[in-house]
Amino acid sequence: MLQTQIGVRKLEAGTQAIALGATFGTHIGNGVPLNINRHDNIIQRLLARDELIACFIPDGIHLPPFVLKNFYRAKPKGKVYFTTDCMSAAGAPPGFYHIGPHQVEVGSDGVVQLPGEKQFAGSSLTLDRGVENVSEWLGLTLSKATEMCASLPAGHFGVEL
């Protein structure tokens, strides 16, 4: 019962954030508990809000390609952007690197973790590889994938490329 009450409060907070002007949700599908209500959960709520831009990390790790495809299809045209949460080892070979004072390990699969931990500590996905993934997995042109990974998000935040 307590978990349900906390979940409802978080969902209500999301609705309040949108009412106060939030237009963008990032890392959707990441950092979600393994056991959630199959229908009434933060992912479903965010995908159902057509006014909210959904931003995903197309590395195949944060979201498997088939999930990314489903999430992409769930949003209206123009309401999906892509990003990366790459860190200092982006594009580097497997090994140990630092994020500030923290040592992290990049595995052969590109997953960045604190040594001995299972949670992600970032990504090694470079945005050019993200563009290629978006194009391949969603069947989009490289031009459209580039737009969704670069110029649309930049424009949303008032950044000129």
Side-chain angles (χ1 to χ4, degrees):
M1 182 65 151
L2 179 60
Q3 182 178 4
T4 301
Q5 291 171 346
I6 291 171
V8 167
R9 278 184 270 165
K10 286 182 179 181
L11 294 172
E12 289 171 354
T15 299
Q16 290 172 342
I18 292 168
L20 292 170
T23 60
F24 192 88
T26 193
H27 284 66
I28 293 177
N30 187 46
V32 178
L34 291 177
N35 295 315
I36 58 175
N37 184 297
R38 66 184 176 166
H39 299 298
D40 192 5
N41 61 65
I42 192 64
I43 297 169
Q44 297 298 332
R45 294 272 182 136
L46 290 172
L47 291 175
R49 297 301 299 254
D50 288 347
E51 73 276 27
L52 188 69
I53 296 166
C55 191
F56 306 110
I57 298 174
D59 62 0
I61 299 165
H62 283 81
L63 299 170
F66 72 91
V67 172
L68 187 70
K69 192 172 194 175
N70 289 338
F71 287 3
Y72 170 72
R73 289 175 173 173
K75 295 300 291 180
K77 183 177 179 176
K79 294 293 186 172
V80 173
Y81 298 164
F82 298 97
T83 191
T84 179
D85 61 352
C86 63
M87 40 73 72
S88 60
F96 292 91
Y97 300 90
H98 284 89
I99 300 176
H102 305 285
Q103 183 180 47
V104 295
E105 183 175 9
V106 178
S108 60
D109 55 4
V111 175
V112 180
Q113 299 169 302
L114 295 171
E117 299 290 327
K118 292 187 184 227
Q119 299 91 337
F120 301 152
S123 174
S124 63
L125 177 74
T126 57
L127 199 53
D128 61 326
R129 182 65 198 152
V131 168
E132 292 170 7
N133 291 345
V134 167
S135 177
E136 179 184 339
W137 298 340
L138 302 180
L140 302 175
T141 65
L142 282 173
S143 175
K144 183 63 178 173
T146 299
E147 179 183 50
M148 296 171 77
C149 290
S151 57
L152 289 176
H156 180 82
F157 292 105
V159 174
E160 188 176 325
L161 298 180

